[in-house]
Amino acid sequence: MAHIQEEDRNYLTKEFEKMVNPVKLVFFTQKFECQYCELTHELLGELSELSDKINVEVYDFVENKEKAEQYNIARIPAIVVEGEKDYGIRFYGVPAGYEFSTLVEDIIDVSKGTTTLADETKEALKKLEKPVHIQVFITLTCPYCPRAVRMAHQMAMESELVTGDMVEASEYPQLSNRYGVSAVPKIVINENVSFEGALPEANYLEKVLEGEGASKKS
Amino acid sequence: MDGLMFSLKKEDDSVQLDDFYDVVVIGGGPAGLTAAIYASRAKLKTLIIEKEEIGGEAAATDMIENYPGFPEGINGHALADRMVEQAKRFGAVVYYGYPTNFDFSSQPKTFQLEGKTISAQTIIIATGTSPKMLNVPGERELKGRGVSYCATCDAPIFAGKDIAVIGCGNSGLQEGLFILKFVKSIKFIEFLPTIQAEKILQDKIQAHENTTCFVNHQVISINGKDRVESITMKDRESGEEKVIPAEGVFIYVGLIPNTDAFKGQLKLNDWGYIVTDDNLMTSVPGVFAAGDVRDKGLRQVATAIGDGAVAAVAAEHFVESVQQKKK
């Protein structure tokens, strides 16, 4: 049975006409001990059928260790949305529920090579000097989460120093535990700055800059 | 895992702000979106400003069973998505941000958004409500560490755990049903001697063996070092205090209106809700209020929608009268 409904397929086929350059979905999976790997794989397959500009590359997390290291993949299932280059956009966990839209919007952004961030945000991101790792913990039923993930991914597109991870909290209980995640969206920046809730762009940016600053001192 | 449907948001969020609108709707819940549908369909230049996520409180409701037209019930976020699509079809624009510095003293009305001054012939306030805090020790400290006000957001994180829901009104029990999809057990705690929720919800909850209900109990504190570990509550009849273990606490003890930005400019009632006339006009001509934020008897999606329509038509008449005067 198809995961993407007929009505949505039609919508997506049209939506993907906005794509400019090809997009590669680099997928890391494993044959065992990964509850949602197969589902994620099937979903990506269905997406790639909707546009000839979407290609899926599949790697085994263990067997293709060097690829996993190249993309700095920490766990599975993982998706990298890659365009002309690897912008640092990561999905850890199945992009289902409300996050399905996030993946679709990312694909289109990456294909165009542009984001909808404000000019002030883009300028501030250009001035970053240190790497910024944004981890956005979410659940698939959280209506406020997609905006927080999109922000991290768009920032990753605007700065080579930013990596943005979506992390589906319930699939990685140990990681969630480590960061004390019990409300989502929870955004962790460079280990040392974190906040909860979908902040507006300007405030989100402030936290990112704070996270970068804190890492400078260390 | 719940939530494994693939929900698709059909909207484009690249929006350019203009300086002037006929109608500015503050808040993208059911009331605001309905107002925007009516206003934009009447060819008024319409902007909706949302601070967080389209759908308001309804978006965080897993299943709305009493909104007509959906015999199987509908997910609040899915319903909101349809409304946005409808409003956009008629030309309304959705912008995400925090409007500030409202000035209702002249015509047109003005406010600030992203450092820009925007003028509007009419403003429809549909800012809704926020969950009320319980105001007990531990609640603020442990917020986001086991204390939650959003079941659809956070319930999956408590998979297999014992949790508590405070408040047995409709919200508490409705959200409890969603939480039960994930957790091991729920203890419901109600201050009043009886459960306040509709009978249909009570029956559904009671059908689950892993639920317990304490009525006539007052929560004294929420306890835990870094995470919620337990709740201390008092039996209001016997005065006996008990500590019950819980790794999560979902709080549904009422609502507070989101009217801080308008204090001093509009007439509010004793609880902070906006007072309106029959056409939903506030104490300031050209400023209307719709939905949960308004002083009224029943706060439901169904009544919010009615409000949105009434306010939008009244706003349309107001815009016409302003244009008449100009001529």
Side-chain angles (χ1 to χ4, degrees), chain A residues 66-111:
Chain A
E66 72 296 339
K67 272 285 172 190
E69 278 169 6
Q70 179 197 324
Y71 284 101
N72 206 6
I73 294 301
R75 60 198 83 87
I76 42 144
I79 303 164
V80 177
V81 183
E82 188 174 345
E84 284 179 326
K85 58 177 182 175
D86 173 16
Y87 291 105
I89 297 174
R90 303 285 183 271
F91 286 86
Y92 289 111
V94 57
Y98 295 144
E99 296 304 332
F100 182 47
S101 283
T102 309
L103 176 62
V104 168
E105 288 166 15
D106 279 357
I107 290 173
I108 293 168
D109 273 359
V110 164
S111 172

Side-chain angles (χ1 to χ4, degrees), chain A residues 147 198 200, chain B residues 27-28 49-53 95-99 127 130 258:
Chain A
R147 298 189 66 78
Chain B
I49 305 170
E50 168 57 45
K51 70 172 164 43
E52 208 164 42
E53 180 57 31
Y95 189 87
Y96 289 91
Y98 278 108
T127 46
S130 297
N258 297 323

Side-chain angles (χ1 to χ4, degrees), chain B residues 253-280:
Chain B
V253 292
L255 304 163
I256 45 168
N258 297 323
T259 48
D260 279 356
F262 314 111
K263 267 182 191 152
Q265 296 210 59
L266 296 178
K267 190 179 173 200
L268 307 178
N269 75 5
D270 290 348
W271 295 272
Y273 290 93
I274 300 173
V275 178
T276 60
D277 67 11
D278 287 349
N279 292 320
L280 305 195

Side-chain angles (χ1 to χ4, degrees), chain B residues 76-133:
Chain B
H77 197 269
L79 179 63
D81 274 347
R82 287 165 178 245
M83 292 184 197
V84 176
E85 238 184 295
Q86 202 168 349
K88 287 189 169 172
R89 195 185 132 204
F90 297 117
V93 165
V94 181
Y95 189 87
Y96 289 91
Y98 278 108
T100 55
N101 298 61
F102 287 96
D103 184 353
F104 297 154
S105 62
S106 56
Q107 190 64 26
K109 281 83 182 140
T110 61
F111 59 91
Q112 298 281 321
L113 186 61
E114 312 287 322
K116 201 171 165 171
T117 302
I118 294 178
S119 305
Q121 290 293 31
T122 60
I123 288 183
I124 299 176
I125 300 170
T127 46
T129 56
S130 297
K132 201 177 193 168
M133 289 185 76

